[in-house]
Amino acid sequence: MAAAARAGAGAGSFALELVRPVASLMPSVRRAERSVPFQRRALYTGLSVAVFLVCSHVPLYGVRYGAASSGSADPLYWVRSILASNRGTLMELGVGPVVTAGTLTQLLTASNIIRVDQRVRAERELVDGARKVLALAIALGEAAASVLLGTYGPVGALGGALVVLQLVSASAVVVFLDDLFDKGYGLRGSSAVSLFSAASTCGKVFWHAFSPVTVNAGRGPEFEGIVLAVVHQAVARAGDARAVVGTLLRRHLPNAMNLFATGLVLLAAVYLEGVKMLLPLQSRDGRGRRATFPIKLLYTSTMPIMLYSAAVSALCLVSQLLHYSRLGGSVLVRLLGVWEEASHAAVPVGGLAYYVTPPASFLASPFHALVYTALLLASCALLSQAWVVASESTPRDVARRLTEQRLALPGRRDGATYPLLRSYIPTAAALGGLCVGALTIFADITGVIGAGTGIMLATTAVYNLVNSVEKED
């Protein structure tokens, strides 16, 4: 076992050395040598979000208008709210490559497949560069797969290469902005990925509430935004209560129930974020300094649902790629997923991809809903506990850090901290994963704006950002 571990570590180190020449070419920001003033960090944060939002609305050059939104299947339809992606724009891939690369790198280092001495600056920078190389490699693979799947229609060889170049360049911008936050130039308590996802989801909620675009769904012209639609009906048809109620409960456009469910899920997510147990601690250095260690109910925050969604995204992409290839009729490909094209996206109608995506109606497909619920809850609980290990937040890791800080339980012997943490942290991780999964399922049932996972991520990001700003103030 030890020899195998050393062999794996050697292979990991050799792989890092191979990417060293490419890693030096990656977009990078010099780490701040001293604390950056709050006003400057707030400015950099605002500019980063603004750049991301602009890229999210710049259409891809060389793609016919509408071809990327209506003429072909959308392989990322089910996870766009999580990946902060917008179809047919520079942010087609969103933060997906960065999240996937960061997760894989952390898993490799936590499992000692790649050994890194965090005290050595050169090794930290090499791993960081390797993470960026991996992110751009994933972006290149996803962009090429999207072109080969015909996502943008018949663009030709040169047009396809141009689309891939634009998508990889946009991912390089996201890598640079993420590095800007990692090097201390963003607001504390926030990350580029979480803020971009929150901005994307909040934009969708605002648009569905106040969109001034008029559409005709068979009831005459009306505003797409539910708030403007209700105000317009109340003013234009004063005294006609039936028209106002019909607008509130309309089916094919955003309605009041969607907006109410969104607010309810948001409040529930804020409440769950605030549930925690404070473990009292006392310094052993003789000064009597006291502190607390919070064990949150959502111990791993929204990472379980992000990992689950990233896995579902990869599964759907691979399944569609195989489904539309020459191997489309094989048994293994059909087990992965069977797809049919609908007006808005390619919809899974069989296989594993069918059961890991939410059903269109929980009442119309009870067996699908039951399997989806069981898989999501079990996956979130297991992924939450796995992330505790990958992020070095296990009871042993926390106890070691507290011991290094000379903190221990008051009135207890030094070794009593670890057993107490071991009785709370695994339970909080599993229960937190179940809560995140259950709230996501509730959001899917009630039809929240921006999908349940997107609302969860946005709420967590905004909650942490507000707490960070309050502490700095």
Side-chain angles (χ1 to χ4, degrees):
M1 294 292 291
R6 286 194 297 270
S13 301
F14 178 71
L16 286 178
E17 291 299 327
L18 284 179
V19 301
R20 183 186 292 273
V22 184
S24 61
L25 302 177
M26 292 296 102
S28 180
V29 179
R30 180 179 298 177
R31 184 173 296 278
E33 297 180 357
R34 61 183 66 182
S35 179
V36 182
F38 172 78
Q39 291 82 359
R40 185 176 298 177
R41 283 187 282 112
L43 176 62
Y44 289 149
T45 301
L47 288 177
S48 300
V49 174
V51 169
F52 177 82
L53 292 177
V54 168
C55 292
S56 297
H57 291 84
V58 175
L60 289 169
Y61 179 78
V63 177
R64 288 183 299 124
Y65 180 78
S69 59
S70 60
S72 58
D74 184 4
L76 299 179
Y77 173 78
W78 305 105
V79 290
R80 288 205 179 274
S81 60
I82 306 156
L83 302 180
S85 67
N86 192 14
R87 194 177 187 198
T89 68
L90 292 176
M91 284 302 154
E92 173 82 40
L93 303 179
V95 299
V98 174
V99 172
T100 305
T103 303
L104 289 176
T105 303
Q106 191 156 6
L107 289 174
L108 291 174
T109 54
S111 58
N112 285 331
I113 295 178
I114 296 178
R115 290 186 179 273
V116 181
D117 190 348
Q118 296 295 336
R119 296 170 295 182
V120 180
R121 180 178 177 180
E123 292 193 16
R124 294 198 308 267
E125 292 179 350
L126 180 58
V127 172
D128 186 55
R131 177 182 61 84
K132 297 173 185 177
V133 173
L134 181 59
L136 293 185
I138 293 173
L140 178 61
E142 291 184 356
S146 297
V147 172
L148 293 176
L149 278 173
T151 303
Y152 308 105
V155 294
L158 182 60
L162 183 59
V163 170
V164 170
L165 178 62
Q166 293 177 79
L167 293 177
V168 173
S169 300
S171 295
V173 172
V174 176
V175 169
F176 176 80
L177 296 178
D178 181 62
D179 194 45
L180 187 72
F181 277 73
D182 288 342
K183 298 299 175 59
Y185 292 96
L187 290 175
R188 297 191 180 99
S190 61
S191 66
V193 170
S194 61
L195 281 183
F196 294 162
S197 299
S200 177
T201 302
C202 292
K204 291 179 181 177
V205 173
F206 182 84
W207 183 256
H208 281 75
F210 299 100
S211 171
V213 176
T214 57
V215 295
N216 192 340
R219 298 168 0 107
E222 55 185 331
F223 289 106
E224 182 182 8
I226 179 61
V227 175
L228 292 183
V230 171
V231 172
H232 176 261
Q233 291 290 353
V235 174
R237 301 185 181 183
D240 190 353
R242 181 178 298 179
V244 176
V245 172
T247 303
L248 288 171
L249 302 178
R250 58 188 184 175
R251 292 185 177 182
H252 302 294
L253 291 171
N255 57 47
M257 293 302 298
N258 300 141
L259 196 60
F260 176 76
T262 302
L264 189 62
V265 171
L266 189 148
L267 292 176
V270 170
Y271 173 77
L272 291 176
E273 275 288 341
V275 176
K276 57 187 175 183
M277 184 192 74
L278 297 178
L279 193 67
L281 300 170
Q282 187 173 9
S283 175
R284 296 301 197 198
D285 56 10
R287 301 175 184 176
R289 178 170 57 92
R290 293 184 177 272
T292 57
F293 177 76
I295 302 178
K296 300 173 61 176
L297 174 61
L298 302 185
Y299 187 72
T300 54
S301 190
T302 54
M303 278 307 301
I305 197 65
M306 286 189 68
L307 296 174
Y308 177 83
S309 301
V312 170
S313 172
L315 172 65
C316 291
L317 191 61
V318 172
S319 177
Q320 284 192 64
L321 186 61
L322 293 175
H323 177 78
Y324 293 108
S325 69
R326 297 179 181 178
L327 304 175
S330 65
V331 177
L332 180 60
V333 173
R334 293 180 65 85
L335 286 175
L336 285 178
V338 180
W339 298 80
E340 288 183 359
E341 292 196 20
S343 58
H344 62 288
V347 179
V349 294
L352 182 59
Y354 174 70
Y355 290 104
V356 297
T357 52
S361 173
F362 279 73
L363 295 179
S365 307
F367 181 73
H368 180 189
L370 180 63
V371 175
Y372 168 74
T373 300
L375 286 175
L376 180 59
L377 292 178
S379 299
C380 285
L382 294 175
L383 288 172
S384 181
Q385 292 182 320
W387 187 252
V388 170
V389 178
S391 61
E392 298 183 351
S393 302
T394 62
R396 191 175 301 278
D397 295 324
V398 174
R400 185 187 70 252
R401 287 194 290 267
L402 293 177
T403 302
E404 292 173 353
Q405 299 173 19
R406 300 288 297 163
L407 293 173
L409 295 172
R412 304 276 191 94
R413 56 186 177 84
D414 291 343
T417 305
Y418 169 67
L420 186 62
L421 292 173
R422 188 176 57 184
S423 63
Y424 286 115
I425 288 181
T427 304
L431 188 58
L434 288 174
C435 288
V436 170
L439 194 56
T440 301
I441 294 171
F442 173 77
D444 291 333
I445 294 175
T446 54
V448 299
I449 301 172
T453 308
I455 293 296
M456 285 290 298
L457 296 177
T459 303
T460 303
V462 174
Y463 181 87
N464 293 335
L465 184 62
V466 170
N467 281 346
S468 174
V469 172
E470 287 181 350
K471 290 178 180 179
E472 293 203 45
D473 184 59

